[in-house]
Amino acid sequence: MAETDTSPFYITTAISYPNGRPHIGHAYEAIAADVIARFQRLQGRRVRFQTGTDEHGLKMARKAEEQGRTPSDLADEMSSYFRDMCDALNVSYDRFIRTSEPDHHRASQAIWQAMEAAGDLYLDRYEGWYSVRDEAYYDASELVEGEGDEKLSPQGTPVEWTIEESWFFRLSKYEQPLLELLRTPGFLEPASRRNEMIAFVEQGLRDLSVSRTSFDWGVKVPGSDNHVMYVWVDALTNYLTGLGYPDEISEGMNTFWPASLHLIGKDIVRFHTIYWPAFLMSAKLPVPQKVFGHGFLLNRGQKESKSLGNVTDPLELAERFGVDALRYFLMREVAFGQDGSYSPEAIVLRANAELANSFGNLAQRTLSMIAKNMDGRLEVNFSPAEADLELRNTVNDASRTLLPKAFEQLSFSTGIEDWLRAVYACNQYVDEQAPWALKKSDPDRMRVVLTILFQQLRTLAIAIQPVTPEKAAALLDQLGIPENERTYAAIDNDTWFDRLVASGFTVAPPTPLFPRLELPAEGEGA
């Protein structure tokens, strides 16, 4: 087994634009980032995990105006829904950042001044196409035709012709350094996103408008009364704000920057792998180690939209099916990086087959038989049979090697598949050993079989903690495993079992982990 990396690990999600309530895509990204953060903690790394809301820009200003309220009031309300979502889905962030907070304004103005000191900002006039919904500028060559004379961005959002005085960033200056960065193995994944961005830069980069004067809801440009920063300058800087930038003596910056991983949706890869690295290069700061652009989560194969009426509240799904069942489904069902699809029926089928019938039933019948047939006391000082050793090796290999290797590569569905094969091996072992029959024919062997299964339950529960933290913790509690002995390294500790037995621990009748879910009634949506 390769030596475990124990260096600090800093992971961020994209910060969500709170002009509407959270949808399943927001939950998908937050859960994936949380799985990564929990996994790295269990590997023994010091982890910093940041998420939050991106509250400035024309879109928020217009939304507030439509509702007859201030942008600040709208941001306060909407941001709370995203924090509530993270809390309800057991997302273990270290900071939930809001770009309206004072320390973020300070950090954004500091990076602006650093770019200005590098000679990379100049005042000019912007004329071009702007998408309010994307908060993005587009070249005419990128636009597509809508209905009538309407022009749309590559994302299919409306664009409008904008003319105003603007500060510009010398993006063109960084064309070659950006190409070198994008071609660096591992910086941008998956490969399809990397190829798209290389092709974009190779076409030539134009300088970027980085301030607006047509509204005032944003971070003020230093030394200017009427300019606010382009929302992406402000938004991207959040990754530094949370580490204490621009303080020269910042424990957060010194420990965690450059970021280990920016986890984002594929639609905002350009901002994170072209604009953001260029800003950082200009400010003489290291660029992130990795950016991963995940795919979209589709509702029965369709992208969610208000016009289709298929927008799903992730908290309704979590309340209906259980937080851990939802987390498991999203990480198991979709090959991370690709688009995936979900439906209530798919959640139920996957959760019942793999969590309730396989893992949950394994725990239930093993612990029930130990409590009933062994008075809850585990067998000690036995010599394992060949079948016992084979099972132990299978479970250890999946839990300590295969799953961690896959998770390190962000291949969650692959890692969970490896783990599940170990669960299936345990169930097959139960069927082959038939402890209920051994109770009469060979009670000593029955005790060994059930003790072997108890040991494998511990290993399997430790391994799956990042995905199903609540249920895995509940099982480890039932197994009597102390909280400080639940890391991946603890799997290899040979003394845990003897210490557990010596403590006088006995197995109590178990509490079911994953009750079977019911399919939605016909015609009932998510």
Side-chain angles (χ1 to χ4, degrees), residues 424-500:
Y424 292 154
C426 289
N427 280 309
Q428 183 178 350
Y429 173 88
V430 174
D431 294 340
E432 290 172 352
Q433 298 296 320
W436 50 88
L438 290 171
K439 180 183 179 182
K440 295 181 178 178
S441 63
D442 190 347
D444 289 342
R445 177 62 187 160
M446 176 203 72
R447 287 193 290 272
V448 171
V449 165
L450 292 176
T451 297
I452 290 289
L453 285 167
F454 177 94
Q455 294 171 342
Q456 306 326 302
L457 280 175
R458 165 197 174 259
T459 301
L460 291 168
I462 288 174
I464 203 65
Q465 285 177 102
V467 182
T468 59
E470 183 183 351
K471 296 296 186 179
L475 178 54
L476 289 165
D477 287 345
Q478 293 185 58
L479 300 176
I481 308 302
E483 289 189 13
N484 64 347
E485 295 186 23
R486 298 180 181 186
T487 64
Y488 286 153
I491 293 175
D492 300 329
N493 189 315
D494 294 331
T495 65
W496 74 271
F497 183 70
D498 290 340
R499 285 187 283 109
L500 181 69

Side-chain angles (χ1 to χ4, degrees), residues 49 93 103 113 209 226 321 345 351 361 440 476 484 492 501:
F49 173 19
Y93 57 84
D103 66 336
Q113 289 167 329
S209 171
N226 61 335
F321 301 123
E345 294 85 356
N361 187 47
K440 295 181 178 178
L476 289 165
N484 64 347
D492 300 329
V501 173

Side-chain angles (χ1 to χ4, degrees), residues 349-371:
L349 290 173
R350 180 75 76 182
N352 282 349
E354 298 177 5
L355 293 179
N357 295 352
S358 296
F359 186 48
N361 187 47
L362 173 67
Q364 184 70 17
R365 58 179 176 169
T366 297
L367 298 182
S368 293
M369 285 188 282
I370 293 173

Side-chain angles (χ1 to χ4, degrees), residues 313-353:
D313 180 349
L315 297 191
E316 288 183 8
L317 285 178
E319 185 174 345
R320 180 176 190 174
F321 301 123
V323 171
D324 277 10
L326 178 62
R327 289 171 60 108
Y328 180 90
F329 172 84
L330 293 176
M331 295 298 97
R332 170 80 170 100
E333 184 78 7
V334 182
F336 201 62
Q338 300 177 17
D339 289 349
S341 189
Y342 80 96
S343 67
E345 294 85 356
I347 295 171
V348 168
L349 290 173
R350 180 75 76 182
N352 282 349

